[in-house]
Amino acid sequence: MGISVWRICYNGDLRLQALPYGSTLAPGRWHLPPPFGYSVVYAGSSRALTQLEKRVHANGFQPANQALIRLDLPEGARINAADDLGLERSRWRRDAGYTQHFGTEWLRKGTALGLWVPSIIEPREMNLLINPAHSEYGAIQIAIEDPDFQFDPRLF
């Protein structure tokens, strides 16, 4: 069985090709958007971490029109770990420029479908960066866990 990760995203277009769209609009912790960088898909290692990550980026508002999806990566897909690629744990949390460069360089090389990176919210939990330009990207299967996902209102 392959790796499964979770994502909360706009429920109006849940095609695999649509998932990187948000990463083209603004930089993130681990990437710079085109034209200076690359698109990417962020996913969480658990449903709970995915909710926390989305909550942090919602600026105090409850996002509307969201779906909780599971991404099932193909068996044997090449996945890297940031720690194995030389992530400097002493600087990654305080230096967004460093992590943006780290992730953008990983995307540029294109050698793996995914990269495990620590969550800024809970550093012992992991997020997976998924490279939509990688040859294995099209083999990812999407399972719609909740097509009209609602956050617990106490989170806002």
Side-chain angles (χ1 to χ4, degrees):
M1 184 167 152
I3 296 170
S4 294
V5 290
W6 286 262
R7 179 173 172 80
I8 297 172
C9 55
Y10 172 62
N11 66 7
D13 190 353
L14 297 175
R15 295 173 306 120
L16 197 57
Q17 300 86 344
L19 298 182
Y21 175 71
S23 71
T24 66
L25 302 176
R29 166 63 59 180
W30 295 95
H31 87 286
L32 293 172
F36 304 108
Y38 302 87
S39 61
V40 67
V41 175
Y42 286 81
S45 58
S46 72
R47 292 169 58 123
L49 178 59
T50 300
Q51 289 185 50
L52 286 173
E53 292 282 355
K54 189 68 167 190
R55 167 62 183 91
V56 164
H57 296 289
N59 298 319
F61 295 96
Q62 176 140 215
N65 305 315
Q66 300 293 292
L68 173 65
I69 63 174
R70 187 183 74 235
L71 302 173
D72 298 323
L73 280 58
E75 185 75 34
R78 180 151 184 192
I79 306 296
N80 296 140
D83 288 330
D84 294 340
L85 298 180
L87 178 69
E88 293 180 34
R89 283 285 186 151
S90 64
R91 83 186 263 210
W92 78 271
R93 275 192 106 178
R94 62 180 163 72
D95 189 347
Y98 169 73
T99 54
Q100 288 170 339
H101 176 75
F102 190 96
T104 299
E105 277 300 298
W106 173 80
L107 287 162
R108 182 188 65 75
K109 291 176 184 173
T111 57
L113 176 61
L115 176 66
W116 287 115
V117 296
S119 165
I120 192 79
I121 299 165
E122 175 44 66
R124 292 185 181 219
E125 298 288 333
M126 303 299 280
N127 287 314
L128 186 68
L129 304 184
I130 302 172
N131 184 351
H134 193 271
S135 61
E136 294 175 306
Y137 184 75
I140 295 172
Q141 298 295 308
I142 296 177
I144 301 169
E145 297 274 321
D146 186 344
D148 188 28
F149 180 80
Q150 300 292 317
F151 286 91
D152 184 317
R154 295 173 294 177
L155 289 172
F156 294 89

